[in-house]
Amino acid sequence: MLAASLRWFSRFGLMAGALCASTVACSSADTTPGGSGSTGDAPYDYVPPGKADDYRSTTGQEYALLAIDSVTLSDADQQLSGAERAAAAEELVKLKFKALSFFIYEYMASKEHEDSNYGYGGFRTTVRQQTFESLDISERSNEPGTYDFLFSAEVGGPKDLLKQLPLEANGITFKLALPILTTAEIESGSYSSKYSHFDPSKYDASQISYLDVDIEPKPMEPDAYPDYASWFADGVLDVAIHVGGDYNAARYDLQTAKDIFARLQSDLHLTAPVQSFEELKLDSGPFTGTLDANGTPVKLEVYLLHPDMAQEPGVGYQGLIDAYKASASTRDIVIYDGHAGYDASYSGVVVHYNPRWAIPADDFATLDMPDKYQLFFFNGCKTYTTYADSLYANPKKTTANLDVITTVNFSWLSEMTRITTDLLGGFTRRVSDTHVPVSYDHLLADMNKGRSWDVIYGVHGLSDNPRISPYADVGTLCGACSGNSQCPGADNLCVKISPTNSVCGVACTDDSGCPDGYKCRSVAASGSSLISAAQCMPAAQACGG
């Protein structure tokens, strides 16, 4: 329980458990993290705890919100009693959650200059809608029909959000401005159009109320690897890239698809299924290549789909809808580059614009999906808000077999080619023609650089991911060595733990990935202070004792 929630319970005596613009994707040279070949074959120096910079490659943080609010039953519902009355109150609270989510979003989300409420709030932050939860619902004894409820929710934002927000003296509370909503407005949802681009300064003070909201950073999951072993188990890493439709006259979607077509060949060295982009069809087959996964050959198959591939008389673009569903049901990695947004019942995977053909994010829960491990990437505006949770609502998917990369803020159409191909390049990174597994911290660092610094790419589902290299051989730990090549696996290094003693480590991202008696420690290239990798090292900082 959050410290803030304890303050709320103490204060109120409640008991838990009771009842985008034209260049943004919105609806309206390789470096290695270490390993043989990256700096020669010299042993790596052991970096004692506390001497490495405390740096994560992600640019964002997840925060928990907590507040008290109230609702009042309609005149008709106030005539109910017992279970029916309680059910009506619970339903009204759920609808108020949607309203709260809307106004928190209006306050905290980034604004563009052309937005009518530009200058109001704007903290590059997005609400994770499906995390709204009622911790308590209690009817006021002196006001029958009015219910107080304690709610919690999550938002994603920049790491320095608490320094940006105008917090109260206690350092954890901000005031959220809300229009005074009628019960009818809450039930109908009409506030979303009536108060679109809400700015309280444009309303009389008598029309506005304020809600005290506590905000605290949530503990961040340790860095982890994608589950490469699961991807490679069948000898094939298959990827689908779906470029979504664009409403802009410049047709950024087709330019993105053309650029990806070129970079899959020039940067990832894959063989195209056709000679030119114009020849690419739904049934053209994949780009192909091979990967040496620690001595085991793995085939690479990358399917590229774009909005102008399928148009059938009388059927429209159903072929693109079916193609995305087929990818979701079979591929290891499914990437969507396109317009996205906050409304899960409308925004989702937009395979074509003008006319618009889309799969709403709410429909992800009913997709035919496999039990196998997959990664989904939604490269569009504010996909953090609901896309991952919509997928996790699918009965076949859990954090154990699904990772999801989303965006907190606007994503840039002009950056999609780089982001997508660099991400695939990270998953398949090679040193001396051998695959070097890269953790999510390194992948996200590459994604969140350049113009995309403010997008805040992040990954969901890490609680079950491996925190030790898929090529780790723990039997070699503390084995004497004089160079990295004597430690099996391209990312498992020879580490100098004393002036005269070098031993084999195994790559890791967190202590929890290491065997008993070992800790995940940062290491640096010999003669350099640059932190370049982490290895399981003996906790006692000496082997054999």
Side-chain angles (χ1 to χ4, degrees):
M1 183 71 67
L2 291 169
S5 67
L6 295 176
R7 184 174 71 82
W8 280 112
F9 282 119
S10 174
R11 179 178 174 185
F12 289 95
L14 298 174
M15 296 183 63
L19 304 165
C20 288
S22 63
T23 56
V24 295
C26 303
S27 296
S28 271
D30 274 1
T31 56
T32 69
S36 300
S38 59
T39 58
D41 199 35
Y44 278 53
D45 290 329
Y46 174 63
V47 179
K51 289 193 176 181
D53 289 336
D54 185 19
Y55 173 76
R56 286 185 60 84
S57 62
T58 53
T59 54
Q61 171 73 46
E62 200 164 47
Y63 300 85
L65 304 182
L66 196 77
I68 285 279
D69 199 8
S70 63
V71 293
T72 299
L73 294 178
S74 66
D75 290 343
D77 286 341
Q78 290 202 41
Q79 307 308 310
L80 300 173
S81 60
E84 289 184 331
R85 186 181 181 89
E90 289 184 356
E91 180 61 25
L92 188 57
V93 166
K94 290 179 183 178
L95 294 174
K96 187 63 179 291
F97 282 170
K98 292 182 179 180
L100 290 170
S101 172
F102 175 83
F103 289 106
I104 292 171
Y105 173 82
E106 287 290 320
Y107 177 53
M108 303 188 79
S110 294
K111 313 294 192 297
E112 296 184 77
H113 288 277
E114 60 266 30
D115 290 336
S116 59
N117 62 347
Y118 181 76
Y120 170 60
F123 301 100
R124 296 192 295 121
T125 302
T126 294
V127 179
R128 189 169 174 179
Q129 294 182 56
Q130 295 182 28
T131 63
F132 269 80
E133 179 183 6
S134 173
L135 303 180
D136 183 274
I137 303 175
S138 178
E139 187 171 16
R140 295 179 183 175
S141 58
N142 60 338
E143 292 184 62
T146 296
Y147 291 76
D148 292 313
F149 60 94
L150 176 67
F151 75 87
S152 65
E154 293 171 5
V155 299
K159 288 187 174 182
D160 63 349
L161 177 61
L162 296 186
K163 294 181 180 179
Q164 297 183 36
L165 280 170
L167 298 177
E168 302 291 295
N170 63 12
I172 62 171
T173 304
F174 67 91
K175 289 190 177 295
L176 176 69
L178 299 162
I180 298 173
L181 301 176
T182 66
T183 299
E185 286 175 325
I186 296 170
E187 290 179 331
S188 67
S190 60
Y191 56 82
S192 62
S193 56
K194 181 178 180 179
Y195 297 104
S196 179
H197 297 100
F198 177 67
D199 182 349
S201 68
K202 297 178 180 179
Y203 294 85
D204 186 86
S206 63
Q207 299 175 285
I208 301 297
S209 64
Y210 290 90
L211 190 67
D212 286 336
V213 181
D214 283 2
I215 180 168
E216 292 186 356
K218 292 193 65 182
M220 188 176 290
E221 284 287 341
D223 184 23
Y225 293 95
D227 191 353
Y228 292 102
S230 292
W231 278 342
F232 297 164
D234 62 355
V236 180
L237 176 63
D238 58 332
V239 181
I241 304 171
H242 293 259
V243 178
D246 182 29
Y247 55 74
N248 292 294
R251 289 299 302 272
Y252 288 100
D253 52 351
L254 294 185
Q255 188 57 55
T256 294
K258 290 177 182 177
D259 291 344
I260 292 174
F261 181 90
R263 288 191 63 169
L264 288 175
Q265 299 170 80
S266 63
D267 293 15
L268 274 68
H269 308 293
L270 301 179
T271 300
V274 292
Q275 293 298 311
S276 67
F277 175 79
E278 289 71 23
E279 297 176 72
L280 193 64
K281 308 297 180 186
L282 276 176
D283 59 357
S284 293
F287 292 72
T288 58
T290 58
L291 187 69
D292 179 354
N294 203 36
T296 300
V298 173
K299 294 180 181 178
L300 300 180
E301 296 182 351
V302 180
Y303 297 81
L304 176 61
L305 302 97
H306 65 78
D308 283 8
M309 272 186 162
Q311 183 178 15
E312 304 173 49
V315 180
Y317 294 89
Q318 184 63 41
L320 293 173
I321 297 287
D322 294 342
Y324 187 86
K325 291 181 177 179
S327 294
S329 69
T330 58
R331 306 298 176 212
D332 296 316
I333 300 173
V334 183
I335 297 173
Y336 169 65
D337 283 340
H339 289 289
Y342 191 73
D343 184 352
S345 66
Y346 180 77
S347 299
V349 172
V350 184
V351 299
H352 195 275
Y353 257 103
N354 299 326
R356 188 179 186 276
W357 286 73
I359 304 172
D362 277 346
D363 289 358
F364 294 168
T366 59
L367 291 175
D368 179 17
M369 301 186 74
D371 294 322
K372 73 173 185 175
Y373 169 71
Q374 294 176 291
L375 168 82
F376 278 68
F377 174 32
F378 297 103
N379 194 15
C381 289
K382 306 177 186 299
T383 56
Y384 167 88
T385 184
T386 190
Y387 283 54
D389 293 308
S390 296
L391 275 178
Y392 285 120
N394 191 292
K396 291 290 187 71
K397 307 314 289 187
T398 68
T399 57
N401 68 4
L402 177 66
D403 296 340
V404 185
I405 297 177
T406 61
T407 64
V408 165
N409 200 14
F410 300 119
S411 65
W412 300 100
L413 293 172
S414 58
E415 283 280 272
M416 281 187 170
T417 299
R418 178 188 72 81
I419 295 295
T420 290
T421 54
D422 282 2
L423 180 62
L424 287 182
F427 288 138
T428 60
R429 187 165 293 179
R430 301 169 175 86
V431 173
S432 301
D433 295 326
T434 301
H435 178 237
V436 177
V438 177
S439 75
Y440 273 115
D441 269 3
H442 290 90
L443 294 164
L444 294 173
D446 285 344
M447 298 169 74
N448 283 317
K449 68 184 182 183
R451 190 178 186 185
S452 291
W453 70 271
D454 63 345
V455 174
I456 311 181
Y457 290 102
V459 60
H460 306 255
L462 287 190
S463 59
D464 300 289
N465 284 58
R467 295 187 164 90
I468 191 169
S469 167
Y471 307 140
D473 181 354
V474 296
T476 66
L477 279 169
C478 271
C481 59
S482 58
N484 298 325
S485 59
Q486 296 175 1
C487 304
D491 57 341
N492 302 319
L493 308 177
C494 183
V495 181
K496 187 187 296 181
I497 59 173
S498 74
T500 60
N501 190 18
S502 296
V503 299
C504 284
V506 295
C508 57
T509 64
D510 184 70
D511 288 347
S512 60
C514 297
D516 290 344
Y518 291 84
K519 298 290 186 181
C520 189
R521 304 302 196 198
S522 296
V523 301
S526 190
S528 168
S529 61
L530 174 67
I531 301 302
S532 50
Q535 301 278 299
C536 291
M537 288 282 103
Q541 301 184 27
C543 292

